[in-house]
Amino acid sequence: MRGFLASSIGVTCAAALALPLTLPAAAAPAPATQSTSGARTASTTAAPDLPGSTESLPLTPRTRDRTLGAAPEQGLTRDDVHRFSLVGVTWTDPDTELRGQVQVRTRATGTGEWSGWQDIDTHNEDHGADPGTAERDSGHVHGSTAPLWVGDSDGVDVRVRANTAATRTVGNIGEQPSALPTGLHLELVDPGAAQDPTAGARPATANRTATPRLAATELPALSKQATERDMVALGAKLQPYIGPRPRIVTRHGWGADEKLREKGFVYTKQVKAAFVHHTATGNNYRCSQAPSVIRGIYRYHVKSSGWRDIGYNFLVDKCGTIYEGRAGGVAKAVMGAHTLGFNTNSMGIAVLGTFGSAKPSSAAVTAIAKLTAWKLGLYGVNPRGKTYLKSGGGNLYRKGKNVRLNVISGHRDGFATECPGRQLYGKLGSARSTSARYQGR
């Protein structure tokens, strides 16, 4: 299938992309397949021919009450683990909320120095596939915290503490801990080093047919005129307002192990809205490490949380680089697992970092504007407009309710959550205006 690249085919290896880039009408969706990637293991699991691993370790009670689930604190201390860079905590039932605090400290590889205690965001149940979908009901999905990027480490100490709530007993009021979820596990993720993205690739020519063996590491930026020419060349309806396509690092470019995810793709009819997220992985990463952070999130979403692929459709780092997320084609309406209840006819854009108190970079906000101007423009959508999406069920809107939302919304607009953080959420008005301007409105 031809890529969405008619005018740029001589510039890059774009014609060799293994995944389709054309609009949804060009092909019928491939059927989704059942996955076993969410199965829990107690040992390191790694693909035989690609780097990276996940070590899953059960937590144990740290109080006098040794009953799992009743103990107000569980944890683990290990100094003999495989090297890792990203951590998270999972539990058995994805519909159970972890009402408490999760903290971790890690030992840096090489120096042997321990970090201070860091909080892990426990509110990750607001991400994921919609209720009633094959991905959600696969039987492999677990409850999970957000993952936290900690850098190259070889020792870990984690503690999970239940919240306490006032309870009325006969004649008095006391404090009683909430029950922690069952099956708590610590997930230690080694994203591995990216393989040479050019290994086995041949230069692209205008007459070469795309094959799975050839893959581009990026889609180059196109001018507005070149983007419009591509639409015409592919027989797509030329929209009156569309932004120039920004540079996008492909899955091949950030080193995705395609054997981890399910093989099939799931599409919706169109893209009517974009939900902006933060990954809550922390801000202690360099832009050169962003591909490693994304590989870690990808592995955590699939191997630890049991999702079919990484949840977000796109990711953006602090330097403004845009990365392809969930597989299926960057120009297509790929169903993600980013905003519980509103994954249909939408896309999820996650900025790497945590933005409750920290401000997002101007480069990241500009990247959101550029990406939405192009992607929403393919579907004739005004970034400054409003749209209706039907809720698939969540804690703000009942299933089946038509909800009026900003075309560019924050995660918290569709689900009661802190995501994308107060500071990033406050920049969405600017992103809407800039995105519309890129479209020529």
Side-chain angles (χ1 to χ4, degrees):
M1 181 180 295
R2 294 186 57 190
F4 195 70
L5 304 152
S7 64
S8 60
I9 196 166
V11 179
T12 184
C13 185
L17 280 172
L19 300 181
L21 300 178
T22 51
L23 294 175
T33 58
Q34 289 295 314
S35 169
T36 59
S37 60
R40 186 179 301 280
T41 62
S43 60
T44 301
T45 56
D49 57 349
L50 284 173
S53 65
T54 300
E55 189 170 10
S56 183
L57 304 169
L59 302 189
T60 58
R62 284 186 162 179
T63 60
R64 291 181 179 178
D65 185 344
R66 308 293 291 181
T67 304
L68 283 173
E73 181 174 342
Q74 294 185 38
L76 179 74
T77 302
R78 290 282 295 271
D79 60 3
D80 59 346
V81 294
H82 296 275
R83 291 172 62 166
F84 63 94
S85 297
L86 183 139
V87 301
V89 171
T90 64
W91 53 95
T92 304
D93 186 358
D95 295 321
T96 299
E97 181 181 355
L98 195 164
R99 298 179 180 177
Q101 182 182 42
V102 179
Q103 292 183 312
V104 65
R105 65 189 187 106
T106 54
R107 186 180 64 189
T109 302
T111 67
E113 295 183 1
W114 285 86
S115 69
W117 288 101
Q118 300 183 76
D119 290 322
I120 295 180
D121 187 350
T122 62
H123 299 100
N124 199 44
E125 75 281 353
D126 45 3
H127 296 75
D130 290 347
T133 60
E135 181 173 4
R136 181 73 175 186
D137 297 338
S138 66
H140 306 298
V141 178
H142 300 126
S144 60
T145 67
L148 178 69
W149 178 261
V150 295
D152 194 9
S153 306
D154 58 11
V156 64
D157 192 2
V158 63
R159 59 192 184 194
V160 181
R161 293 174 173 170
N163 285 340
T164 56
T167 59
R168 183 174 298 276
T169 57
V170 180
N172 58 34
I173 294 178
E175 292 289 325
Q176 177 175 310
S178 302
L180 289 173
T182 59
L184 288 170
H185 277 67
L186 174 66
E187 304 290 309
L188 303 178
V189 179
D190 171 19
Q195 289 190 319
D196 179 4
T198 62
R202 298 173 294 171
T205 67
N207 296 322
R208 180 167 292 149
T209 303
T211 69
R213 294 188 298 113
L214 301 179
T217 59
E218 67 176 55
L219 305 180
L222 296 180
S223 67
K224 183 177 177 66
Q225 292 74 22
T227 300
E228 293 172 345
R229 286 199 299 270
D230 273 0
M231 294 187 71
V232 173
L234 292 167
K237 180 181 178 181
L238 182 61
Q239 301 293 342
Y241 300 100
I242 182 172
R245 189 185 70 198
R247 172 179 174 266
I248 301 173
V249 176
T250 66
R251 290 172 63 93
H252 190 62
W254 56 259
D257 179 357
E258 301 298 354
K259 293 182 179 179
L260 290 180
R261 66 171 177 84
E262 288 188 1
K263 294 180 180 180
F265 310 121
V266 178
Y267 299 101
T268 59
K269 293 181 179 180
Q270 56 187 318
V271 178
K272 298 172 62 178
F275 285 98
V276 177
H277 305 256
H278 67 174
T279 57
T281 47
N283 304 313
N284 296 322
Y285 72 93
R286 300 185 302 274
C287 290
S288 60
Q289 294 177 308
S292 294
V293 177
I294 295 171
R295 290 196 303 276
I297 295 171
Y298 171 43
R299 179 173 282 274
Y300 184 75
H301 282 181
V302 175
K303 300 295 289 183
S304 301
S305 299
W307 302 355
R308 68 189 315 274
D309 193 352
I310 192 170
Y312 310 113
N313 297 102
F314 296 93
L315 301 98
V316 175
D317 69 22
K318 64 177 70 174
C319 289
T321 301
I322 300 169
Y323 301 85
E324 177 186 10
R326 180 162 286 208
V330 295
K332 302 188 76 171
V334 180
M335 178 179 276
H338 50 84
T339 305
L340 188 68
F342 291 100
N343 290 304
T344 296
N345 296 333
S346 71
M347 67 174 180
I349 305 169
V351 181
L352 298 180
T354 305
F355 303 107
S357 57
K359 294 182 179 180
S361 67
S362 58
V365 177
T366 299
I368 293 171
K370 289 181 176 179
L371 176 59
T372 52
W374 170 69
K375 184 65 179 278
L376 294 173
L378 295 177
Y379 295 83
V381 179
N382 182 352
R384 280 191 303 217
K386 303 278 189 179
T387 191
Y388 282 90
L389 293 178
K390 181 176 291 187
S391 171
N395 64 1
L396 276 181
Y397 303 104
R398 60 174 173 78
K399 184 175 182 179
K401 180 177 176 60
N402 284 317
V403 182
R404 190 169 185 258
L405 296 161
N406 286 311
V407 163
I408 298 179
S409 285
H411 187 177
R412 63 176 62 182
D413 295 321
F415 199 98
T417 174
E418 292 297 316
C419 185
R422 178 173 56 87
Q423 295 290 349
L424 179 54
Y425 188 75
K427 296 292 184 181
L428 296 188
S430 174
R432 295 181 192 109
S433 299
T434 305
S435 180
R437 187 166 64 251
Y438 281 128
Q439 284 190 346
R441 296 181 185 271

